[in-house]
Amino acid sequence: MCRLESWINPESDQMLVEGKITGVDMAIKEIKKDVYWVGAVDWNISNFHGYSLARRGSTYNAFLVLDEKVTLFDLVPEKFKWDLYHQVHKLVAPDKIDYIVVNHVELDHSGALPFMVEKCSPERIFCSPMGEKSLLSHFHKPEWPVQVVKDGESISLGRKDVQFMEARMLHWPDTMFSYIPQDRLLISSDAFGQNIATSRLFDDEHDLNLLLDESRHYYTNIILPFSGFVQKTLARVKESGLEIDMIAPDHGVIWRTHVAEIIGAYQEFSSQKVRAKAVLVYDTMWSSSEKMIKALGDALVEEGIEIRLMSLKRFHHSDVMGEFSDAAALVCASPTHNNGMLPLMADFLTYMKGLKPKGRLGATLGSFGWSGEAPKAMAQVLEEAGFELPLEPLRVKNVPSHEHLAQCREMGRVLAGKIREKLSAQ
Amino acid sequence: MEKWVCEICGYVYDPAEGDPDNGVSSGTKFEDLPDDWVCPVCGADKDNFAKEA
């Protein structure tokens, strides 16, 4: 429901009449004394940034601190600018905002910035050194009152302070965290986020396993390539002795009861620890490649390896990666089509390679009609991506015979042995 | 002199330019950069760099 009675500004009513309001604004929430969630919920988004599915929707979290300096931390996409404006308006006239902190310039957190700068005329916009360059190349407004804050620098808002911490590549070069020591609150930008649209803003209002599953999906598809940076950042947070009893990411729920669990999960995700599991991903034309990969998978299961068989016609590349996150091995099957692999497999492998999974095993196979390049072409991508390939790519002309399927099963048995070796060395 | 590429973000270290924002003058070879030098874009350390092909 739109809460019209709370909209003080006549202009906003006019916007509603004109149909310019994009969504239904949410109730603001006080997450710490004088710290309010003023973000937007994107109930209808299904594909996050166009590359990773977000079946549960998402949120763009923004936070307003009411102090001597009224400060807005992070914003929302341009499309949700009026939602943000109204959220702020419930607490304070937006032109009372003194400071805006931009922890990350990506447009899901800064799209509304030009609008808010115009409405609020802030005294200062704080960002990291890389953020300054990024703000300029996004918005081309050299006249904005941008003030760069370096790693470890603090500012006072009056009763509360803000300590900034660079968190490069979590998820862009400009990313930083904001820590409010008086509240033991870490505003963590994209890190620790999940794609969940909800009006229940806190972790303890949800099933923890679901939150951790969504965190894994988000991490694998967005942060995995930067796992080394995650490890360094976690170590720095630990060394700094910061006491954290609440982590407020820019997407999804706020961690207040399960802070230790989400930090532990990030340790696990970023260390890329794997288990006795293989993801078997395939596309098929007349079911030959499907038969082959199923035979291989059957042998893996007999050898005690958990499998997840995923057809690329059914599963989006981001869902395959979510499953692959903790798997020791990836098996790819595609028939040869016009001297290469089928396009869905090329899409998946390009995406997977970019996410830079480390320390995995791989195997490839597929049927062919006359030329038969696909298994080798897939193996080449896996090799370039740093996979260990203990088996020769297998190709079978047209339809596999029982003997061919026995060969596929033998591949599965050998791969299972390699998976066990890898796990014992882990 | 050889150029080196950051494997994290794609930044190219060009010895002819150096990294003047971080006190590295032009003409400094990649090998001569201090051990604690990091990629000026993403902060990755020298281990994450590879010679430009």
Side-chain angles (χ1 to χ4, degrees), chain A residues 13 78 118 120 123 233 270 274 313 378 398 400 408:
Chain A
D13 291 347
E78 203 269 341
E118 191 193 314
C120 314
E123 182 187 326
T233 305
S270 59
V274 293
K313 286 198 181 73
M378 293 185 290
N398 291 322
C408 299

Side-chain angles (χ1 to χ4, degrees), chain A residues 69-104:
Chain A
K69 294 290 183 187
V70 175
T71 304
L72 177 65
F73 290 83
D74 302 330
L75 302 99
V76 299
E78 203 269 341
K79 179 180 161 185
F80 288 90
K81 64 188 180 189
W82 282 105
D83 298 62
L84 174 66
Y85 184 83
H86 294 138
Q87 295 283 67
V88 171
H89 217 304
K90 291 171 190 171
L91 292 161
V92 64
D95 63 2
K96 297 289 179 211
I97 290 177
D98 299 293
Y99 293 162
I100 297 179
V101 174
V102 179
N103 283 309
H104 177 27

Side-chain angles (χ1 to χ4, degrees), chain B residues 22-38:
Chain B
N22 295 294
V24 176
S25 54
S26 63
T28 307
K29 281 188 205 164
F30 182 80
E31 292 83 348
D32 296 336
L33 290 169
D35 288 344
D36 60 356
W37 179 85
V38 294

